[in-house]
Amino acid sequence: MRFFDPHIHVTSRTTDDLENMAAAGVRAVIEPAFWVGQPRTTLGAFTDYFSSLIGWERFRASQFGISHYCAIGLNSKEANNEGLAREVLEIVPRFALKEGVVAIGEIGFDEITAAEEFAYTEQVQFARQNDMVVMVHSPHRDKKRGIVRSLEIARDLGFPMEKLVIDHNNEETVEDTLEFGAWAAFTIYPHTKMGSERMCEIVKKYGPERLIVDSSADWGVSDPLSVPKTAKLMLERGLSPEAVELTTWQNALDAYAQSGQIDVEALLQKPPIDQTQLYADNSVLRGQAPRVEAVPN
Ligand SMILES: [Zn+2]
């Protein structure tokens, strides 16, 4: 099977992870811009981070046969550093319209503050004006209130719900997200929060339409193989192959291909790996022998 993990912070993962993901069938990923675990103190830190998502990380994933797309945005946590946040909001447009950027994200609420609301509103407006998809992060605490607020703000701004992906849903929020007409994504964590078993129950209860499974794997305890593992469990729990395909491949593709940045036809073929390639004179090889796969005729 082939999988699309539409939310993973691969910059924090190793080449072993990329190899294991490719071997498990992960064909494409989306890496949304987010918080790096400690607050950034300068605008330059954001500039370099955004350029790495568009440049080096896209190249690095390609070296293991994975198509890499990204989302650009100011995350909710750092929206609370209001001075720096305003500077970041000014540079978001410079990166958001580049090749391989499929959405504005991940943006939304963390502590549900006025500063977060300001940054979210500004970025949803930018996305609407530029006909972009938005990937919404939802808070760990007070999740339902955060999600409903994100949905209401987007609706009140006239943002098209079919371009809104609400992430980190759970049993308490899935109905709100679906009722508003947005896509409902679920992050599958290895030990807590949403697990694969719970995901199976949600797909059984609501059906696979507009539901999306992702890993959100990052620098914390998380699993870059969450999507293939959940797919396997869904099949074992009696869900149809069609439901698994929709929730672990097609729905994410349909949502984010609206950006016009995904060559859907090309994605159906696994790209041959060529590790002799360089990005800005740098390779992933560290002096080791490159892997080169034959180009299919
Ligand atoms: Zn994330």
Side-chain angles (χ1 to χ4, degrees):
M1 289 186 82
R2 58 183 178 215
F3 302 106
F4 191 167
D5 186 347
H7 188 150
I8 179 166
H9 302 286
V10 267
T11 190
S12 304
R13 310 303 305 197
T14 63
T15 54
D16 283 353
D17 289 331
L18 288 165
E19 272 180 358
N20 293 335
M21 287 160 63
V26 176
R27 183 74 60 77
V29 297
I30 298 173
E31 172 154 25
F34 90 139
W35 185 56
V36 293
Q38 66 177 41
R40 279 165 281 215
T41 56
T42 62
L43 182 63
F46 281 91
T47 312
D48 292 342
Y49 175 67
F50 292 158
S51 6
S52 78
L53 298 188
I54 290 163
W56 175 244
E57 287 307 316
R58 183 172 171 83
F59 170 76
R60 204 166 72 98
S62 78
Q63 295 299 284
F64 298 90
I66 297 174
S67 298
H68 177 285
Y69 306 96
C70 71
I72 294 291
L74 170 64
N75 67 85
S76 50
K77 225 175 172 72
E78 289 174 286
N80 290 304
N81 180 353
E82 290 177 62
L84 184 55
R86 282 178 189 267
E87 292 179 51
V88 177
L89 290 174
E90 277 179 32
I91 64 158
V92 162
R94 198 202 298 170
F95 289 94
L97 303 175
K98 288 197 190 292
E99 190 187 333
V101 181
V102 294
I104 292 293
E106 54 188 290
I107 62 173
F109 288 109
D110 181 53
E111 298 288 331
I112 319 187
T113 63
E116 290 168 18
E117 180 159 330
F118 173 77
Y120 177 70
T121 304
E122 289 284 305
Q123 293 179 97
V124 171
Q125 268 171 333
F126 173 81
R128 185 173 58 79
Q129 285 155 5
N130 290 278
D131 200 19
M132 293 184 77
V133 180
V134 169
M135 184 195 296
V136 180
H137 165 90
S138 57
H140 304 293
R141 287 190 297 140
D142 232 351
K143 181 177 287 294
K144 192 176 168 72
R145 187 163 70 92
I147 284 184
V148 171
R149 193 77 199 105
S150 317
L151 286 160
E152 286 171 348
I153 289 170
R155 181 196 59 200
D156 295 348
L157 290 169
F159 189 80
M161 286 296 142
E162 68 275 14
K163 290 198 167 167
L164 195 70
V165 183
I166 304 285
D167 215 320
H168 316 313
N169 276 283
N170 63 22
E171 292 87 346
E172 286 181 3
T173 62
V174 55
E175 279 177 34
D176 288 313
T177 303
L178 292 176
E179 270 168 27
F180 269 79
W183 300 85
F186 295 80
T187 298
I188 310 301
Y189 291 101
H191 304 303
T192 54
K193 301 179 192 164
M194 276 301 303
S196 298
E197 290 282 359
R198 287 165 61 190
M199 191 67 226
C200 292
E201 293 308 311
I202 288 172
V203 178
K204 278 183 191 169
K205 184 168 177 187
Y206 296 97
E209 280 76 32
R210 282 192 285 130
L211 301 190
I212 295 172
V213 176
D214 63 58
S215 73
S216 300
D218 57 19
W219 33 257
V221 178
S222 47
D223 185 355
L225 300 180
S226 276
V227 175
K229 284 180 183 173
T230 304
K232 182 168 176 280
L233 189 72
M234 286 198 277
L235 291 171
E236 285 168 14
R237 293 289 178 271
L239 283 153
S240 70
E242 294 73 30
V244 176
E245 159 113 8
L246 282 172
T247 53
T248 61
W249 172 263
Q250 193 64 47
N251 287 346
L253 193 51
D254 288 346
Y256 291 103
Q258 295 180 92
S259 65
Q261 287 291 326
I262 300 180
D263 183 342
V264 179
E265 282 302 306
L267 256 199
L268 299 176
Q269 301 284 334
K270 186 183 176 299
I273 292 170
D274 179 1
Q275 294 185 340
T276 61
Q277 291 177 341
L278 299 177
Y279 177 82
D281 291 333
N282 191 16
S283 87
V284 293
L285 290 175
R286 334 297 286 147
Q288 296 161 91
R291 215 173 116 196
V292 181
E293 291 176 349
V295 180
N297 328 310

